[in-house]
mmCIF file of all heavy atoms in Angstrom:
data_model
loop_
_atom_site.group_PDB
_atom_site.id
_atom_site.type_symbol
_atom_site.label_atom_id
_atom_site.label_comp_id
_atom_site.label_asym_id
_atom_site.label_seq_id
_atom_site.Cartn_x
_atom_site.Cartn_y
_atom_site.Cartn_z
ATOM 1 N N ASP A 858 -14.379 -7.869 10.771
ATOM 2 C CA ASP A 858 -15.154 -8.556 11.792
ATOM 3 C C ASP A 858 -16.320 -9.049 10.987
ATOM 4 O O ASP A 858 -16.485 -8.928 9.668
ATOM 5 C CB ASP A 858 -15.479 -7.620 12.919
ATOM 6 C CG ASP A 858 -16.416 -6.403 12.523
ATOM 7 O OD1 ASP A 858 -17.075 -6.430 11.411
ATOM 8 O OD2 ASP A 858 -16.451 -5.510 13.339
ATOM 9 N N GLU A 861 -18.462 -6.474 9.083
ATOM 10 C CA GLU A 861 -17.785 -5.949 7.935
ATOM 11 C C GLU A 861 -17.707 -6.941 6.828
ATOM 12 O O GLU A 861 -17.923 -6.674 5.600
ATOM 13 C CB GLU A 861 -16.352 -5.554 8.288
ATOM 14 C CG GLU A 861 -16.278 -4.344 9.129
ATOM 15 C CD GLU A 861 -14.909 -4.017 9.618
ATOM 16 O OE1 GLU A 861 -14.176 -5.000 10.151
ATOM 17 O OE2 GLU A 861 -14.481 -2.812 9.635
ATOM 18 N N LYS A 864 -21.167 -6.931 5.221
ATOM 19 C CA LYS A 864 -21.241 -5.648 4.303
ATOM 20 C C LYS A 864 -20.477 -5.780 3.032
ATOM 21 O O LYS A 864 -20.903 -5.600 1.946
ATOM 22 C CB LYS A 864 -20.853 -4.490 5.071
ATOM 23 C CG LYS A 864 -21.219 -3.190 4.420
ATOM 24 C CD LYS A 864 -20.943 -1.949 5.419
ATOM 25 C CE LYS A 864 -21.457 -0.760 4.788
ATOM 26 N NZ LYS A 864 -22.640 -0.150 5.342
ATOM 27 N N PHE A 877 -14.113 -0.086 -0.160
ATOM 28 C CA PHE A 877 -14.492 -0.573 1.235
ATOM 29 C C PHE A 877 -13.069 -1.034 1.949
ATOM 30 O O PHE A 877 -12.869 -0.576 3.047
ATOM 31 C CB PHE A 877 -15.405 -1.678 1.260
ATOM 32 C CG PHE A 877 -15.926 -2.141 2.522
ATOM 33 C CD1 PHE A 877 -16.866 -1.473 3.275
ATOM 34 C CD2 PHE A 877 -15.381 -3.355 3.124
ATOM 35 C CE1 PHE A 877 -17.279 -1.980 4.510
ATOM 36 C CE2 PHE A 877 -15.723 -3.793 4.328
ATOM 37 C CZ PHE A 877 -16.785 -3.199 5.091
ATOM 38 N N VAL A 880 -10.248 1.836 2.359
ATOM 39 C CA VAL A 880 -10.452 2.808 3.431
ATOM 40 C C VAL A 880 -10.047 2.105 4.740
ATOM 41 O O VAL A 880 -9.375 2.789 5.619
ATOM 42 C CB VAL A 880 -11.978 3.157 3.486
ATOM 43 C CG1 VAL A 880 -12.300 3.796 4.771
ATOM 44 C CG2 VAL A 880 -12.269 4.088 2.260
ATOM 45 N N ARG A 881 -10.330 0.883 4.926
ATOM 46 C CA ARG A 881 -9.910 0.338 6.093
ATOM 47 C C ARG A 881 -8.456 0.059 6.272
ATOM 48 O O ARG A 881 -7.897 0.148 7.352
ATOM 49 C CB ARG A 881 -10.639 -0.979 6.294
ATOM 50 C CG ARG A 881 -12.124 -0.761 6.854
ATOM 51 C CD ARG A 881 -13.240 -1.688 6.219
ATOM 52 N NE ARG A 881 -14.456 -1.194 6.780
ATOM 53 C CZ ARG A 881 -15.247 -0.195 6.260
ATOM 54 N NH1 ARG A 881 -14.749 0.371 5.102
ATOM 55 N NH2 ARG A 881 -16.295 0.216 6.738
ATOM 56 N N ALA A 882 -7.771 -0.314 5.170
ATOM 57 C CA ALA A 882 -6.365 -0.396 5.098
ATOM 58 C C ALA A 882 -5.687 0.940 5.399
ATOM 59 O O ALA A 882 -4.779 1.025 6.134
ATOM 60 C CB ALA A 882 -5.969 -0.962 3.771
ATOM 61 N N LEU A 884 -6.995 3.519 7.119
ATOM 62 C CA LEU A 884 -7.211 3.846 8.466
ATOM 63 C C LEU A 884 -6.184 3.182 9.369
ATOM 64 O O LEU A 884 -5.582 3.783 10.289
ATOM 65 C CB LEU A 884 -8.585 3.371 8.915
ATOM 66 C CG LEU A 884 -8.991 3.612 10.390
ATOM 67 C CD1 LEU A 884 -8.989 5.157 10.723
ATOM 68 C CD2 LEU A 884 -10.260 2.950 10.675
ATOM 69 N N ASP A 891 -6.803 -1.065 15.948
ATOM 70 C CA ASP A 891 -7.813 -1.891 15.474
ATOM 71 C C ASP A 891 -9.211 -1.216 15.479
ATOM 72 O O ASP A 891 -10.268 -1.974 15.508
ATOM 73 C CB ASP A 891 -7.936 -3.113 16.520
ATOM 74 C CG ASP A 891 -6.613 -4.067 16.359
ATOM 75 O OD1 ASP A 891 -6.049 -4.068 15.269
ATOM 76 O OD2 ASP A 891 -6.333 -4.553 17.464
ATOM 77 N N THR A 892 -9.156 0.029 15.419
ATOM 78 C CA THR A 892 -10.363 0.866 15.320
ATOM 79 C C THR A 892 -11.172 0.447 14.125
ATOM 80 O O THR A 892 -10.659 0.257 13.023
ATOM 81 C CB THR A 892 -10.026 2.345 15.304
ATOM 82 O OG1 THR A 892 -9.273 2.688 16.462
ATOM 83 C CG2 THR A 892 -11.244 3.168 15.297
ATOM 84 N N LYS A 893 -12.504 0.427 14.272
ATOM 85 C CA LYS A 893 -13.314 -0.106 13.232
ATOM 86 C C LYS A 893 -14.200 1.132 12.866
ATOM 87 O O LYS A 893 -14.680 1.973 13.660
ATOM 88 C CB LYS A 893 -14.262 -1.219 13.650
ATOM 89 C CG LYS A 893 -13.494 -2.438 14.069
ATOM 90 C CD LYS A 893 -12.892 -3.087 12.835
ATOM 91 C CE LYS A 893 -12.277 -4.387 13.137
ATOM 92 N NZ LYS A 893 -11.670 -5.010 12.118
ATOM 93 N N ILE A 894 -14.564 1.149 11.527
ATOM 94 C CA ILE A 894 -15.470 2.098 10.930
ATOM 95 C C ILE A 894 -16.982 1.496 11.122
ATOM 96 O O ILE A 894 -17.048 0.404 10.622
ATOM 97 C CB ILE A 894 -15.176 2.403 9.548
ATOM 98 C CG1 ILE A 894 -13.726 3.104 9.435
ATOM 99 C CG2 ILE A 894 -16.213 3.348 8.859
ATOM 100 C CD1 ILE A 894 -13.261 3.148 8.036
ATOM 101 N N VAL A 895 -17.872 2.260 11.591
ATOM 102 C CA VAL A 895 -19.178 1.787 11.731
ATOM 103 C C VAL A 895 -20.009 2.999 11.231
ATOM 104 O O VAL A 895 -19.507 4.129 10.882
ATOM 105 C CB VAL A 895 -19.573 1.466 13.166
ATOM 106 C CG1 VAL A 895 -18.892 0.173 13.566
ATOM 107 C CG2 VAL A 895 -19.329 2.633 14.147
ATOM 108 N N TYR A 896 -21.342 2.735 11.022
ATOM 109 C CA TYR A 896 -22.188 3.823 10.322
ATOM 110 C C TYR A 896 -23.425 4.023 11.183
ATOM 111 O O TYR A 896 -23.990 3.037 11.772
ATOM 112 C CB TYR A 896 -22.511 3.299 8.945
ATOM 113 C CG TYR A 896 -21.359 3.065 8.065
ATOM 114 C CD1 TYR A 896 -20.622 1.875 8.061
ATOM 115 C CD2 TYR A 896 -20.887 4.115 7.207
ATOM 116 C CE1 TYR A 896 -19.637 1.632 7.212
ATOM 117 C CE2 TYR A 896 -19.782 3.897 6.427
ATOM 118 C CZ TYR A 896 -19.163 2.700 6.464
ATOM 119 O OH TYR A 896 -18.145 2.538 5.582
ATOM 120 N N LYS A 901 -23.701 7.649 7.944
ATOM 121 C CA LYS A 901 -22.388 8.416 8.076
ATOM 122 C C LYS A 901 -21.339 7.588 8.838
ATOM 123 O O LYS A 901 -21.728 7.100 9.929
ATOM 124 C CB LYS A 901 -22.813 9.764 8.837
ATOM 125 C CG LYS A 901 -21.600 10.631 9.035
ATOM 126 C CD LYS A 901 -21.972 11.876 9.697
ATOM 127 C CE LYS A 901 -20.712 12.723 9.903
ATOM 128 N NZ LYS A 901 -20.898 13.952 10.723
ATOM 129 N N PRO A 902 -20.204 7.608 8.371
ATOM 130 C CA PRO A 902 -19.156 6.723 9.095
ATOM 131 C C PRO A 902 -18.723 7.443 10.300
ATOM 132 O O PRO A 902 -18.673 8.737 10.349
ATOM 133 C CB PRO A 902 -18.041 6.718 7.958
ATOM 134 C CG PRO A 902 -18.184 7.951 7.113
ATOM 135 C CD PRO A 902 -19.613 8.219 7.086
ATOM 136 N N PHE A 903 -18.254 6.652 11.303
ATOM 137 C CA PHE A 903 -17.626 7.066 12.558
ATOM 138 C C PHE A 903 -16.783 6.024 13.043
ATOM 139 O O PHE A 903 -16.994 4.879 12.555
ATOM 140 C CB PHE A 903 -18.588 7.738 13.513
ATOM 141 C CG PHE A 903 -19.494 6.750 14.094
ATOM 142 C CD1 PHE A 903 -19.289 6.107 15.311
ATOM 143 C CD2 PHE A 903 -20.797 6.495 13.460
ATOM 144 C CE1 PHE A 903 -20.254 5.151 15.884
ATOM 145 C CE2 PHE A 903 -21.651 5.550 13.969
ATOM 146 C CZ PHE A 903 -21.338 4.873 15.198
ATOM 147 N N LEU A 904 -15.906 6.274 13.935
ATOM 148 C CA LEU A 904 -14.982 5.266 14.524
ATOM 149 C C LEU A 904 -15.708 4.750 15.702
ATOM 150 O O LEU A 904 -16.164 5.456 16.539
ATOM 151 C CB LEU A 904 -13.651 5.827 14.806
ATOM 152 C CG LEU A 904 -12.970 6.350 13.574
ATOM 153 C CD1 LEU A 904 -11.502 6.904 14.142
ATOM 154 C CD2 LEU A 904 -12.654 5.325 12.483
ATOM 155 N N ASN A 905 -15.640 3.293 15.864
ATOM 156 C CA ASN A 905 -16.374 2.749 16.936
ATOM 157 C C ASN A 905 -15.837 3.059 18.361
ATOM 158 O O ASN A 905 -16.544 3.090 19.312
ATOM 159 C CB ASN A 905 -16.397 1.208 16.791
ATOM 160 C CG ASN A 905 -15.013 0.597 16.939
ATOM 161 O OD1 ASN A 905 -14.015 1.300 16.737
ATOM 162 N ND2 ASN A 905 -15.003 -0.697 17.348
ATOM 163 N N ASP A 906 -14.516 3.463 18.492
ATOM 164 C CA ASP A 906 -14.044 3.847 19.750
ATOM 165 C C ASP A 906 -14.216 5.375 20.148
ATOM 166 O O ASP A 906 -13.841 5.842 21.069
ATOM 167 C CB ASP A 906 -12.630 3.473 19.914
ATOM 168 C CG ASP A 906 -11.614 4.247 18.913
ATOM 169 O OD1 ASP A 906 -12.069 5.074 18.142
ATOM 170 O OD2 ASP A 906 -10.329 3.839 18.940
ATOM 171 N N ILE A 911 -14.350 10.976 11.260
ATOM 172 C CA ILE A 911 -13.906 10.511 10.079
ATOM 173 C C ILE A 911 -14.785 10.986 8.951
ATOM 174 O O ILE A 911 -15.966 11.158 9.045
ATOM 175 C CB ILE A 911 -13.755 8.979 10.060
ATOM 176 C CG1 ILE A 911 -13.121 8.466 8.802
ATOM 177 C CG2 ILE A 911 -15.133 8.369 10.257
ATOM 178 C CD1 ILE A 911 -12.738 6.945 8.806
ATOM 179 N N ILE A 913 -14.817 10.360 4.545
ATOM 180 C CA ILE A 913 -14.184 9.464 3.523
ATOM 181 C C ILE A 913 -14.716 9.943 2.219
ATOM 182 O O ILE A 913 -15.850 10.247 1.964
ATOM 183 C CB ILE A 913 -14.798 8.023 3.712
ATOM 184 C CG1 ILE A 913 -14.390 7.423 5.051
ATOM 185 C CG2 ILE A 913 -14.198 7.142 2.618
ATOM 186 C CD1 ILE A 913 -15.090 6.154 5.442
#
Side-chain angles (χ1 to χ4, degrees):
D858 65 22
E861 290 172 316
K864 190 169 185 108
F877 182 82
V880 165
R881 282 144 183 83
L884 176 67
D891 294 328
T892 301
K893 298 290 184 184
I894 299 170
V895 291
Y896 299 87
K901 181 178 178 185
F903 65 97
L904 301 182
N905 66 336
D906 67 1
I911 186 170
I913 302 167

